[in-house]
Amino acid sequence: MGVSYNDFVIRFANVNGSGSASANGMFAKALFRMGIPVATRNIFPSNIQGLPTWYEVRVNERGYLGRRDGVDIMVAMNAETLVEDVASIKPGGYLLYDNSKPLAKILRRDDIIEIGMPISTMLLPEFVDAKQRSLFKNITYLGALSALLNIDFEVITGMVATQYKGKDALIAPNIHALELGRKYAYEYMVAPLPIQVKRSDKVGHRIMVDGNTAAGLGCVYGGATVCAWYPITPSTSVAEAFELHANRLRIESGTEERKFAIIQAEDELAAIGVVIGAAWNGARSFTATSGPGLSLMSEFLGLAYFAEIPAVLWDIQRAGPSTGMPTRTQQSDVMAAAYASHGDTKHPLLFPATAKECFDFAALALDLADRLQTPIIVLSDLELGMNDNLSEPFEWDDNRKYDRGKVLNAQDLDNTEVFGRYLDVDGDGIGYRTYPGTHPEKGAFFTRGTSRDEFAAYTESPEAYEHNMQRLLRKWHTASTLVPAAEISQQDNSQQGNKVGILYFGTTALPMPEALDLLVEEGIQLDTCRLRSFPFGEEVRTFMESHELVFVVEQNRDGQMRKLLINEGEYNPQDLISITYYAGLSISAEFIKGEVLEYYQANKKLPRLTQVQS
């Protein structure tokens, strides 16, 4: 059997709360430090301790980062999930398990290779403390994997030393457990396996980070000074990351004074209220939540839209409706976010696809909120937010100036003959505003959620109301010129006559390069459009109108983005074909390929490449 390098999926099956996260994370980071592209997925329950948890690492030299169906190596350390864990292994794959107790006959498969290791028995004479033995089980199988997969042992031991720096008493026993597993693998197993890793240069200058950490750091760099939030999975770590980095970067030298405020509110409604109040006073502020919190915030979002107050909301989407699956990923808040609140309300949305975009969009969202005087909602999800994955390094221009929008200071007011909070003097739908206390005599106005005229005076005049709503629509058109443009890739269609495209957004971008390559092997080449924002720019309209058919790929049941395109772009529904996946895991390249192929097989007239490319 030949040796395969740097191309496999390994899954660790553990019990939540068993301390496995540290060892599993070290496995992924060890490969990363060897220059090998990896993508991680942490599949965990919504309780604190005791239920099954899985940690999956995809290793791929070509840099495919999307989830792949099937497991090549299963590290099965949870007896309760052995049936499904063994079933998930691809034919020819490997099962590494603790054979201190024999494997039940019902679990045996002739088409996989079993690798038994008596971990529990091995540790009995080595560690007296039962809690230590439980924790070091994870480190022991990591040591065995270092031999089985040919991982540089110095990389792993170096990570142990780094992780427990300052807790030196833990370093030696952890390394001892690693050596126990490694020695056993060399003495009693066929090591290394035909599936191996070797040093590579495919990582390049990329870093490994999760999207929520990137978002929190981006909010610090973007000038946010107020974070109000209520804990909810999977968004909590956005606020935690903001606090962590603000404590590092926002402490005034000399006085040690904190130049930021973090408020854990009593609920999501209070949290968005704090954000709106802080932004009304001139502070850059944001909150982070998930679907249930977005539902609660809708009324206040309507107030901010109508009263025209900046606010930034990070929605780290999870599987709904209601409580749904709190620790599973989806893209199911698209419609709720776009039209949050009652009445004719529309909110700009941003769709990050990478940790770098989480960082970049954090600062951009704060700029857009101030510039447009409206809520900006960033739609990330659990897949991006809570998993460590490869990312381009973050960049920040120290000369960058925050866009605070149309804010009048005292001198501006002295030179202004007539101030009307909702006067559109520039034709972009955006009025000029003031911060409280700017001028002793000028610039004051009453902020209200009721109908008003251009000078913020209450009125129920039909003409005044209609005029105001039309101005808000002009502002919406202005927003379409300011939000990030879609990324579009079109092939030379002059010979193939290819007029079929595929549109996607957010984390659906992760498996897309692989899906496109798989489709080319089937003779299908698609133009692509990755949405990065709503409202949709002219480039999206051009893409849609230049293609007879567009597949819309998203991770929800009802094709929400497709509906938003039809609703806002007035496109023919028959020209937009939904590809939807909503089981709570991230969508895979194989699934996308299968759905496209199925449609092509049912519609033979669709164009294919005249020659299948290898």
Side-chain angles (χ1 to χ4, degrees):
M1 181 184 295
V3 178
S4 170
Y5 294 104
N6 299 348
D7 187 15
F8 60 89
V9 171
I10 183 170
R11 182 180 296 168
F12 301 85
N14 302 98
V15 176
N16 199 33
S18 64
S20 59
S22 177
N24 298 342
M26 278 196 285
F27 174 88
K29 291 174 183 175
L31 271 55
F32 167 75
R33 292 188 179 188
M34 290 175 63
I36 305 166
V38 295
T40 72
R41 284 169 182 87
N42 190 12
I43 305 167
F44 58 99
S46 54
N47 76 331
I48 302 301
Q49 187 170 347
L51 288 182
T53 182
W54 293 269
Y55 185 82
E56 186 173 289
V57 182
R58 181 168 188 191
V59 183
N60 187 266
E61 184 82 1
R62 298 180 67 180
Y64 292 146
L65 300 179
R67 183 179 66 86
R68 199 206 73 189
D69 296 326
V71 177
D72 299 299
I73 305 169
M74 171 60 71
V75 182
M77 294 294 146
N78 185 356
E80 292 185 5
T81 62
L82 270 173
V83 173
E84 59 185 292
D85 291 338
V86 172
S88 68
I89 303 171
K90 294 179 65 176
Y94 297 86
L95 171 67
L96 175 60
Y97 70 104
D98 186 348
N99 68 352
S100 299
K101 293 182 179 180
L103 194 66
K105 290 183 178 180
I106 193 174
L107 297 173
R108 303 276 182 184
R109 281 179 55 184
D110 295 334
D111 60 346
I112 65 173
I113 297 94
E114 296 175 6
I115 308 175
M117 181 179 181
I119 300 177
S120 299
T121 304
M122 289 168 52
L123 295 182
L124 278 173
E126 303 291 337
F127 300 101
V128 177
D129 184 80
K131 184 176 181 181
Q132 274 195 333
R133 289 199 300 270
S134 176
L135 293 174
F136 287 142
K137 283 179 64 176
N138 309 309
I139 300 299
T140 303
Y141 69 63
L142 181 58
L145 286 170
S146 73
L148 292 169
L149 300 179
N150 212 14
I151 303 171
D152 288 359
F153 196 56
E154 294 77 11
V155 173
I156 297 181
T157 54
M159 291 180 63
V160 169
T162 300
Q163 181 154 330
Y164 295 108
K165 186 178 181 180
K167 300 178 181 178
D168 294 351
L170 296 174
I171 295 176
N174 271 277
I175 291 179
H176 179 52
L178 282 171
E179 291 172 337
L180 284 173
R182 185 176 177 87
K183 181 180 178 182
Y184 185 93
Y186 279 132
E187 290 184 358
Y188 300 103
M189 300 174 178
V190 178
L193 299 173
I195 295 177
Q196 298 177 25
V197 299
K198 66 177 179 179
R199 283 192 173 271
S200 175
D201 60 357
K202 300 301 182 181
V203 166
H205 63 293
R206 286 178 290 179
I207 61 176
M208 196 171 185
V209 66
D210 65 270
N212 283 359
T213 296
L217 180 62
C219 288
V220 174
Y221 272 83
T225 56
V226 175
C227 169
W229 65 295
Y230 182 79
I232 182 172
T233 302
S235 73
T236 296
S237 54
V238 175
E240 291 173 341
F242 176 77
E243 181 176 21
L244 174 69
H245 294 298
N247 276 322
R248 182 171 59 89
L249 300 169
R250 285 279 179 79
I251 303 295
E252 187 175 62
S253 178
T255 67
E256 300 304 309
E257 183 180 353
R258 287 165 39 122
K259 294 296 183 179
F260 62 96
I262 296 177
I263 302 165
Q264 182 174 328
E266 62 267 31
D267 54 32
E268 291 90 347
L269 190 61
I272 191 64
V274 170
V275 168
I276 293 169
W280 179 81
N281 273 282
R284 287 198 148 184
S285 55
F286 76 97
T287 187
T289 192
S290 192
L294 174 66
S295 298
L296 286 172
M297 294 177 181
S298 290
E299 184 176 358
F300 258 148
L301 288 170
L303 169 67
Y305 170 82
F306 198 57
E308 299 180 67
I309 304 171
V312 172
L313 189 162
W314 280 81
D315 178 6
I316 316 301
Q317 298 168 95
R318 69 189 206 188
S322 188
T323 305
M325 292 192 292
T327 57
R328 298 293 184 268
T329 196
Q330 270 189 8
Q331 296 175 317
S332 54
D333 296 347
V334 175
M335 297 293 281
Y339 301 124
S341 191
H342 53 279
D344 292 323
T345 309
K346 288 193 284 194
H347 305 292
L349 310 178
L350 303 181
F351 309 117
T354 64
K356 185 180 187 304
E357 282 194 335
C358 286
F359 177 81
D360 293 341
F361 285 5
L364 176 62
L366 292 161
D367 275 351
L368 289 171
D370 276 345
R371 179 73 178 84
L372 294 166
Q373 301 174 19
T374 198
I376 304 294
I377 302 176
V378 188
L379 287 178
S380 179
D381 57 26
L382 185 148
E383 163 80 352
L384 175 58
M386 295 193 71
N387 290 314
D388 285 326
N389 280 307
L390 296 183
S391 170
E392 293 297 317
F394 306 155
E395 297 176 352
W396 185 261
D397 182 357
D398 288 333
N399 295 317
R400 175 174 172 171
K401 303 295 183 184
Y402 299 143
D403 185 352
R404 298 312 304 260
K406 295 183 175 182
V407 180
L408 300 177
N409 59 29
Q411 184 178 355
D412 294 329
L413 289 169
D414 282 334
N415 297 325
T416 300
E417 292 185 11
V418 178
F419 170 73
R421 171 65 183 91
Y422 300 109
L423 275 172
D424 181 10
V425 298
D426 300 320
D428 60 1
I430 306 169
Y432 285 82
R433 66 182 178 126
T434 59
Y435 298 145
T438 297
H439 195 285
E441 299 174 356
K442 295 182 176 181
F445 62 94
F446 192 92
T447 303
R448 62 176 79 246
T450 51
S451 180
R452 71 296 172 112
D453 63 15
E454 294 170 319
F455 299 92
Y458 174 75
T459 178
E460 293 188 9
S461 160
E463 293 78 16
Y465 174 80
E466 186 176 37
H467 181 76
N468 187 54
M469 294 299 288
Q470 284 299 118
R471 180 183 58 77
L472 289 171
L473 197 56
R474 286 199 300 278
K475 183 164 74 168
W476 182 252
H477 294 313
T478 298
S480 70
T481 67
L482 298 176
V483 296
E487 290 185 346
I488 292 173
S489 175
Q490 294 191 225
Q491 310 298 325
D492 180 5
N493 302 327
S494 57
Q495 293 181 343
Q496 277 101 20
N498 180 20
K499 292 188 178 180
V500 181
I502 191 165
L503 180 146
Y504 55 98
F505 63 99
T507 52
T508 307
L510 295 178
M512 193 56 67
E514 182 179 11
L516 294 171
D517 287 348
L518 291 173
L519 286 168
V520 167
E521 293 175 2
E522 300 290 338
I524 299 172
Q525 186 167 272
L526 303 175
D527 296 336
T528 65
C529 174
R530 179 171 76 89
L531 296 176
R532 298 199 298 160
S533 63
F534 170 72
F536 309 123
E538 282 302 312
E539 75 284 354
V540 177
R541 178 168 295 279
T542 299
F543 180 86
M544 299 295 288
E545 292 179 349
S546 64
H547 292 83
E548 296 178 1
L549 186 77
V550 175
F551 294 100
V552 182
V553 186
E554 49 190 312
Q555 298 176 72
N556 57 68
R557 184 193 67 183
D558 294 339
Q560 294 184 28
M561 183 59 75
R562 174 179 177 272
K563 288 182 170 65
L564 194 61
L565 285 161
I566 293 169
N567 195 43
E568 295 293 324
E570 299 181 356
Y571 303 115
N572 186 344
Q574 294 182 347
D575 297 339
L576 301 181
I577 308 304
S578 271
I579 295 179
T580 62
Y581 179 85
Y582 47 92
L585 301 175
S586 54
I587 194 170
S588 69
E590 293 98 330
F591 181 86
I592 296 169
K593 169 195 168 185
E595 294 293 297
V596 172
L597 278 181
E598 183 177 335
Y599 191 87
Y600 263 73
Q601 289 163 1
N603 297 270
K604 303 294 186 182
K605 64 179 181 179
L606 289 178
R608 287 177 181 261
L609 296 175
T610 54
Q611 182 178 358
V612 176
Q613 302 177 14
S614 60

